[in-house]
Amino acid sequence: MDIEHDIWLRNHLLDGYDYAKETNESLRLHRDILLFNKLPEIDQELDQALVDSLIPALSEKGYKVVKGKV
């Protein structure tokens, strides 16, 4: 799970986002500009649940996820 958040974090930092207690997209401030293990536990759990739901959701639509080389 850390990897998905790290990718999200990197992309937001590259887009000029900074940490703030309150998210404000127009000012490029976001409360999740933290390392994954520093996020509140509820956010970690929600992120994990989202990632866990991706493969079943794709399978229901007829897609198959296969491991391959990038």
Side-chain angles (χ1 to χ4, degrees):
M1 187 59 234
D2 295 75
I3 294 170
E4 288 80 9
H5 181 73
D6 287 349
I7 293 167
W8 177 92
L9 178 59
R10 180 189 54 125
N11 289 336
H12 276 68
L13 290 172
L14 289 172
D15 283 341
Y17 277 77
D18 202 359
Y19 173 79
K21 287 184 180 180
E22 297 289 326
T23 297
N24 184 323
E25 296 289 342
S26 63
L27 296 177
R28 294 183 185 254
L29 300 173
H30 205 288
R31 67 183 189 90
D32 292 337
I33 302 291
L34 299 166
L35 295 176
F36 182 76
N37 64 351
K38 300 295 183 186
L39 290 173
E41 188 173 332
I42 187 68
D43 290 338
Q44 291 181 32
E45 292 171 0
L46 289 170
D47 285 354
Q48 186 64 55
L50 175 64
V51 169
D52 290 345
S53 72
L54 289 175
I55 292 176
L58 290 169
S59 293
E60 285 179 19
K61 299 294 182 183
Y63 292 96
K64 183 176 180 181
V65 178
V66 295
K67 185 175 181 178
K69 295 181 181 180
V70 177

